[in-house]
Amino acid sequence: MYILVALLVVGHCLADYFHPNTTGLRLKHGFETLLIQPYGYDGFRVRAWPFRPPTGQEISFLYDPPLEGFENGTAHGMSYDMTSTGETPQTLRNGNLIVRTTGWGGNAGGYRLAFSRVNADGSETLLTNEYAPLKSLNPRTYTWPGPGAEFRAEFSFSATPDEQIYGTGTQQDHRINKKGSVIDLINFNTYIPTPVFVSNKGYGFVWNMPAEGRMEFGTLRTKFVAESTTLVDYVIVAADAASPTKYDTLQRRLSALTGRAPTPPAFSLGYIQSKLRYENQSEVELLAHNFAARNIPVSLFVIDYQSWAHQGDWALDPRLWPNVSHMSAVVRNTTGAALMASLWPSVADDSVNYAALQAQGLLSATRSGPGTTDSWNGSYIRNYDATNPEARAFLWQMLHKNYYTQGIENFWIDQADGGALGEAYENNGQSTYIQSIPYALPNVLYAAGTQRSVGKLYPWAHQQAIDEGYRNATSTTSHDACPHLSLSRSGYIGSQRFCSVIWSGDTTSVWKTLGAQIASGLSAAATGWGWWTVDAGGFQADPTVWWSGNIDTAEFRELYVRWFAWATFLPFMRTHGSRTCTSQSAYTCANEPWSYGDHNTPVLVGYIRLRYQLAKYLTRVFERFSAEGRSIMRPLYMDFEHSDRNVSALVAGNANFTTQAYMFGPRLLVSPVTRPNVSEWQVYLPHAAEKGRWTYWWSNQTFAGGEVVTVKAPTEHIPLFFLGSREEILSGEVF
C-alpha cells in the first residue's frame, strides 16, 4: 500500500514505472572505485574514491533511503549487486533515468558515465556526461596537496551553450540563470553558495559534500571542485522536459533526497518587526504598547545582537533586561506577538561559558596558532563547534535556561557562516584605517574536520542545534509542524528541514541592492529554500550615497517603502536595519512603520494589513511546499517556460522581466519597483494558457498575457497581478 500511494503521489503508475535493474554497480578502474546506485525516483547517486575506501562515517546531507521511491524504507548504504573493472560498458536504469558507462572517446570499455532520460515516446535524451573530449584531462581527477588521506577532487560534466542553470544557493549577482558563473563554495555575509541546481534540460543535481571548493558553469563544461575530502558524492535526478510541471517534479525529487520543510508556526506568516537595535526591556515593552495604540498587527519582535554582557554568554544582560519573563508577558498580552532574540556562535574568554566550553573541547580551533578565529570590539574570540553534538547540546542548554523558559522561544542565529565571523576578511572593523587584511581565512579545526574539508557543514549544523532543541523542548519530531522558528544568515543543502528562515545578510540600503535581492530569492527557491527573507530597507548605509539609510530623507523613505512593499510578498515579511537620522545615533534611530513620515505610515500599515488578509493563501502555499517541495517564490520559468516561449528567452539573457518578477505561490505575480521616482511600471505578463487572464490587483483591469503592460504604480500600489478570482485567493484556494 505504501508503494502504491507513493507512486500515485509522484505521478508514476505501477504499470509504466521502470523498476531499478540493479541495487548498485561497483566500478573499480585502476586505483579508483565508483559506486553507482539508483536513488529515489528517476535518480542515481554516485560515490567515488581513490585508494582507501570510505569509512561509512562521511558527512552526507541526503536521506538514506529518500522520502519517496521504491526503497520501501530500506537504506542503500554501500550496497551493490554488480561489479565491473570498466572492460565492458554497463547500463543501469531507474525509472526514466539511465546511466551508461562508456570508454574514452567513445571506444569500447566503460569507465566514464553518461546520464540520459527516457522520453515518453521511448527515445532518449542525453542530459549530461562526464566531460571527456578526445585527449582531454580526465573528468575525474584527484590530487594530494598535503599529508594524510584527504585529497582534492575535480569532477567535470558536459554542458551546452544554451543550457540554463538555476539554484546554487544565493549570490549578490542579479542573476537567476547561473550559466557562465564561477561560484566559490565558501560562506560569508550575503553569500551562501550551495551546490544544488536544476537545469532546463530536465535534471537536478546535488554535490553532496561539506568541503569548500568551487562551481564553474562554463559554455561546454560544468565543473565541481572539493578542496579537501575523502569521498566524492553526488546525485542526479531527472524529469520529463516536455512536462509543464517539470520544475515542480524536480523540486519534489530533490526535496525527497535532501529534506522537506515542516509547516511553519502560524504567527510567523505575519509581520516581523526589528531594527539595530532595541537596547533594553523598557524599549521593547514601549514598542509593544505603541503597536497596540496604533492598532497595527504584528507577530514577532526581534532583539538583536549585543544584548548580552559578553560574547558567548547566550543570555540577555540582566542590567538591561532585568525581568525577561515579565517583558515576554507584556508583549504577548499587549499585541499577541512573540519574541525572538539574537545569538552569535562566538565566545570570548571573558564569557561565563568560556572555561566550560574550553575544558570540554567544545570550541573550534585552528590548524596552527592560538586557535582564535576572529575579533570583535577589541576581544579575540573563538566559535563554538556546531559540528560537535555535545557543543550543540551545550548551546541549547544555555538558550533554554536563559531565554526559552523566560518566554523567548525563537532565535536569530546570526553570524552563522562558520570559519571566522562570516565576513570576507579578518580584523572585523577593529580599525578605522585597516578594514580588510588580505590574509587567507583561517583553516578552522572542528570535531568533524577542517574548514576546507567540512566548512560548509557549519551553518547547517548550527541550524540543526536549534531545531534539535525545539524538538526536545516540545516533544515533537521533525515530521511535525514547527513549534517555533529560527532565522539564519547562512545554510546549506537541505536547510529547509530545520524550521529555519534564511535571510540575505547585511545588504546595503540602495536601489541596486534591492534589485539584487529579488534574483537572490529566486535562486534560493530553486535551491529548495522556501523559507527565505530579507532586511526590508537593507541593513546598512552605503557610504557612497549620502541619503542611504537615513530615515529623515525623502530619498531613503521612497526606497524603504518600495522595499517594504516587496517584503509583503516574501515567504516571511520582515524589516530590519541600522538606520541613521538627523538627531540621534545609529543605534537609537527608529525603524517602525510610523518612522518614515505621515504620508508613508498608512502606506506601510496598508501592506501589513494586506499580508494578514493573505493568511489563508500563505498557509496553503506553505503546506504545498511542506508536502511536495513545491516552490513558494516561483521564477517565471517554473510555470511559463512551456506556455510562453518569450519567458525562456528572457531567462537565458537574465532580462529584468524575469529577474525582477516572479510568482508568489501559483496565483500571484509580483514585479517590485526597483527604481526611484517612477509612477508607472512595465511588467511582462506571460501567456498563462488555460489558467486564464491576468487581473491587476489595484484596478481590476484584465490582460490576456504574452505581452508587456504598463500599470500605475504609486508607492501604495506594488505591481501585483493575479489569476482566477480575488475571493478564491483570499479564501486560500490554489491551483
Side-chain angles (χ1 to χ4, degrees):
M1 179 61 71
Y2 168 82
I3 295 176
L4 177 59
V5 171
L7 283 172
L8 292 176
V9 168
V10 299
H12 284 301
C13 67
L14 286 170
D16 62 12
Y17 187 83
F18 191 96
H19 293 259
N21 62 349
T22 177
T23 62
L25 166 66
R26 189 194 70 178
L27 173 61
K28 189 169 182 62
H29 183 76
F31 64 72
E32 180 194 35
T33 304
L34 277 73
L35 177 63
I36 309 161
Q37 297 172 313
Y39 223 67
Y41 286 115
D42 305 316
F44 282 98
R45 181 180 187 180
V46 179
R47 281 171 280 188
W49 61 92
F51 295 113
R52 297 187 181 187
T55 65
Q57 302 301 312
E58 284 76 17
I59 294 164
S60 173
F61 303 94
L62 302 177
Y63 284 120
D64 185 13
L67 299 178
E68 294 173 351
F70 272 91
E71 296 73 25
N72 198 24
T74 302
H76 294 70
M78 304 293 288
S79 62
Y80 58 90
D81 59 8
M82 298 172 58
T83 61
S84 174
T85 59
E87 295 178 357
T88 58
Q90 303 288 336
T91 299
L92 288 68
R93 181 173 176 180
N94 180 23
N96 292 326
L97 183 63
I98 288 177
V99 56
R100 287 189 171 88
T101 65
T102 64
W104 175 68
N107 294 336
Y111 48 91
R112 306 285 171 86
L113 305 184
F115 299 90
S116 299
R117 180 185 54 244
V118 180
N119 301 312
D121 61 2
S123 63
E124 294 183 23
T125 299
L126 177 67
L127 300 175
T128 188
N129 56 274
E130 291 185 314
Y131 182 77
L134 187 64
K135 297 185 179 180
S136 71
L137 291 173
N138 197 301
R140 307 187 300 267
T141 61
Y142 310 92
T143 56
W144 286 261
E150 291 189 359
F151 54 83
R152 185 178 190 270
E154 298 188 9
F155 275 48
S156 296
F157 301 88
S158 67
T160 56
D162 60 343
E163 185 174 14
Q164 296 171 20
I165 302 294
Y166 310 124
T168 75
T170 61
Q171 302 89 42
Q172 301 292 318
D173 59 4
H174 292 264
R175 299 170 63 87
I176 60 172
N177 176 16
K178 301 299 183 174
K179 186 70 169 180
S181 299
V182 176
I183 300 170
D184 294 318
L185 286 171
I186 182 170
N187 299 332
F188 54 84
N189 194 345
T190 75
Y191 184 82
I192 321 174
T194 299
V196 178
F197 70 86
V198 295
S199 165
N200 68 327
K201 288 185 174 182
Y203 71 91
F205 190 93
V206 181
W207 181 250
N208 178 40
M209 302 170 66
E212 292 184 345
R214 190 169 66 254
M215 299 181 280
E216 301 177 8
F217 297 100
T219 303
L220 299 176
R221 179 173 66 164
T222 296
K223 183 177 180 180
F224 290 87
V225 177
E227 291 293 345
S228 184
T229 189
T230 58
L231 176 69
V232 174
D233 188 354
Y234 67 88
V235 172
I236 183 170
V237 296
D240 181 1
S243 170
T245 60
K246 170 178 66 180
Y247 294 106
D248 286 334
T249 299
L250 289 174
Q251 289 299 331
R252 179 159 198 148
R253 299 281 188 270
L254 292 172
S255 62
L257 306 178
T258 64
R260 297 263 165 79
T263 53
F267 74 84
S268 67
L269 300 185
Y271 171 61
I272 301 173
Q273 174 65 41
S274 179
K275 76 163 188 173
L276 181 80
R277 66 190 187 268
Y278 299 112
E279 297 189 80
N280 56 58
Q281 179 173 333
S282 297
E283 190 175 0
V284 170
E285 291 179 1
L286 179 60
L287 177 69
H289 286 298
N290 281 331
F291 266 85
R294 291 172 168 83
N295 195 29
I296 300 174
V298 61
S299 291
L300 186 68
F301 293 111
V302 183
I303 300 169
D304 200 358
Y305 80 130
Q306 297 295 300
S307 52
W308 45 77
H310 307 96
Q311 296 271 50
D313 285 354
W314 298 316
L316 293 173
D317 186 341
R319 296 169 298 180
L320 301 174
W321 314 86
N323 193 334
V324 177
S325 59
H326 178 267
M327 175 182 64
S328 303
V330 168
V331 168
R332 182 175 60 254
N333 295 334
T334 304
T335 64
L339 286 174
M340 171 181 279
S342 171
L343 67 112
W344 283 16
S346 49
V347 183
D349 60 8
D350 56 357
S351 167
V352 296
N353 293 318
Y354 183 85
L357 288 163
Q358 174 78 317
Q360 296 175 47
L362 305 182
L363 296 173
S364 63
T366 55
R367 288 290 298 270
S368 61
T372 58
T373 55
D374 215 317
S375 57
W376 182 264
N377 287 353
S379 65
Y380 288 99
I381 60 173
R382 297 167 64 183
N383 289 342
Y384 98 108
D385 185 356
T387 76
N388 186 331
E390 294 182 21
R392 295 198 297 268
F394 186 104
L395 171 68
W396 179 258
Q397 181 184 6
M398 295 299 104
L399 297 178
H400 187 268
K401 179 180 73 172
N402 297 324
Y403 294 95
Y404 196 92
T405 61
Q406 306 301 310
I408 299 179
E409 300 176 344
N410 306 279
F411 296 101
W412 181 357
I413 45 177
D414 202 353
Q415 306 289 129
D417 317 79
L421 271 181
E423 309 301 334
Y425 51 86
E426 293 198 64
N427 202 46
N428 222 329
Q430 298 298 298
S431 167
T432 303
Y433 304 103
I434 305 175
Q435 287 291 315
S436 179
I437 303 177
Y439 297 142
L441 290 172
N443 191 8
V444 179
L445 186 63
Y446 304 111
T450 66
Q451 180 69 25
R452 290 182 181 177
S453 64
V454 301
K456 297 294 288 178
L457 169 66
Y458 192 93
W460 190 94
H462 198 11
Q463 292 172 297
Q464 182 185 23
I466 307 302
D467 192 58
E468 288 172 337
Y470 287 155
R471 298 306 186 181
N472 290 333
T474 57
S475 299
T476 58
T477 73
S478 59
H479 302 292
D480 297 322
C482 293
H484 314 291
L485 79 160
S486 66
L487 175 69
S488 179
R489 200 173 76 181
S490 194
Y492 201 51
I493 301 167
S495 281
Q496 63 272 8
R497 69 177 78 163
F498 288 135
C499 298
S500 189
V501 183
I502 292 174
W503 103 97
S504 63
D506 295 349
T507 55
T508 53
S509 298
V510 291
W511 289 96
K512 181 179 179 181
T513 302
L514 167 58
Q517 302 325 292
I518 301 170
S520 184
L522 298 180
S523 292
T527 307
W529 301 336
W531 289 33
W532 187 86
T533 190
V534 298
D535 291 341
F539 172 71
Q540 61 194 23
D542 183 329
T544 67
V545 180
W546 69 270
W547 53 261
S548 177
N550 190 322
I551 65 172
D552 293 326
T553 63
E555 290 82 359
F556 180 62
R557 288 179 173 183
E558 181 188 8
L559 171 65
Y560 182 80
V561 173
R562 293 296 194 187
W563 208 318
F564 192 92
W566 173 50
T568 309
F569 300 96
L570 294 178
F572 295 88
M573 184 185 186
R574 169 179 175 269
T575 185
H576 183 64
S578 175
R579 306 295 181 233
T580 60
C581 48
T582 302
S583 59
Q584 296 173 304
S585 70
Y587 285 149
T588 55
C589 290
N591 190 44
E592 291 73 49
W594 53 87
S595 309
Y596 291 87
D598 292 341
H599 171 75
N600 291 319
T601 297
V603 176
L604 298 173
V605 174
Y607 283 120
I608 294 173
R609 296 192 184 283
L610 176 56
R611 176 74 179 193
Y612 285 88
Q613 290 173 353
L614 292 170
K616 292 182 179 179
Y617 179 78
L618 286 166
T619 298
R620 182 62 181 133
V621 168
F622 271 90
E623 288 173 349
R624 293 280 290 273
F625 179 62
S626 177
E628 307 167 13
R630 184 181 173 92
S631 299
I632 297 171
M633 294 179 69
R634 304 179 60 80
L636 296 185
Y637 65 78
M638 282 191 174
D639 293 301
F640 305 107
E641 183 182 85
H642 287 275
S643 63
D644 191 331
R645 294 179 180 177
N646 291 330
V647 167
S648 184
L650 290 167
V651 171
N654 280 293
N656 280 345
F657 286 133
T658 53
T659 62
Q660 306 289 275
Y662 63 97
M663 296 295 292
F664 187 51
R667 304 187 72 156
L668 296 175
L669 187 149
V670 188
S671 181
V673 173
T674 56
R675 297 197 306 271
N677 305 316
V678 299
S679 58
E680 296 182 332
W681 196 246
Q682 286 191 327
V683 182
Y684 182 77
L685 297 177
H687 179 61
E690 72 281 356
K691 295 179 181 179
R693 296 176 64 87
W694 296 97
T695 303
Y696 192 48
W697 185 271
W698 309 105
S699 68
N700 287 325
Q701 184 179 3
T702 63
F703 304 91
E707 59 183 329
V708 175
V709 302
T710 301
V711 293
K712 300 292 185 183
T715 54
E716 59 268 30
H717 291 169
I718 184 174
L720 175 66
F721 301 81
F722 62 92
L723 294 168
S725 74
R726 186 191 307 262
E727 292 72 21
E728 290 173 342
I729 293 170
L730 296 179
S731 65
E733 293 186 31
V734 298
F735 292 126

